[in-house]
Amino acid sequence: WHTWATPAQFFATTFLLGSLAVGAAFMGSIMWRRRAALKKGEGGLDLDEGARTLLTRSLKGVGLTAVAMLGVEFVIIPLHISNLSAAGGAAAESAAVFSGAWFVARLVLVFAGAGLLAVFLYRYASAAKDSGVRLLAIVSTSAFVLVLAGELIGRSQFYEQMARIGM
């Protein structure tokens, strides 16, 4: 618990989930407004050029931030595990938590959510037409949900890795 990796992982998680939450909330707001316009009989909410530009820039920013934070996490995690393993004793016992199916599931969920879907968001946001807004909303929300599930597994492992010494 008393390593540089603890605050680094917590901040990386905050920035990663925060950026994906912003993207999902932004797309949710657009979809909610489109649904309200359809209910009023306005034929849907077409994005004007300014809104489309804002959408594109925001989603590209979300994608870049997610990929950057994914890189930070995939540097911190192996360094943290190797430091724990090398320390021996209770620290080595703590490192054992990071093996197994839950650890692999966490890495797969975070990589799928932040990596693959963020790259898709970045590429697809440039070509987003009004018909593709629904797909962008699904992708951005899926990315957030996958990373949230992965990070919840990660927090569970973080608190599970505590090895009691003494009393």
Side-chain angles (χ1 to χ4, degrees), residues 47-126:
L47 297 175
D48 62 5
E49 193 58 38
R52 185 174 291 122
T53 302
L54 179 62
L55 172 67
T56 299
R57 287 183 181 169
S58 297
L59 291 179
K60 282 184 175 186
V62 165
L64 288 174
T65 302
V67 168
M69 289 299 106
L70 178 67
V72 168
E73 281 207 354
F74 279 103
V75 168
I76 293 170
I77 291 170
L79 288 174
H80 180 58
I81 294 170
S82 66
N83 286 344
L84 287 175
S85 297
E93 289 178 37
S94 294
V97 170
F98 293 110
S99 61
W102 284 111
F103 181 66
V104 172
R106 175 197 179 194
L107 295 179
V108 167
L109 287 170
V110 171
F111 182 77
L116 300 177
L117 295 178
V119 169
F120 176 78
L121 273 177
Y122 183 82
R123 286 190 172 182
Y124 191 74
S126 299

Side-chain angles (χ1 to χ4, degrees), residues 19-25 27-28 31 59 62-63 66 109 112-125 132-147:
S19 68
L20 292 174
V22 167
M27 291 309 302
M31 294 306 293
L59 291 179
V62 165
L109 287 170
L116 300 177
L117 295 178
V119 169
F120 176 78
L121 273 177
Y122 183 82
R123 286 190 172 182
Y124 191 74
V133 171
R134 180 180 165 97
L135 181 61
L136 283 173
I138 291 168
V139 168
S140 62
T141 304
S142 298
F144 174 71
V145 169
L146 287 172
V147 172

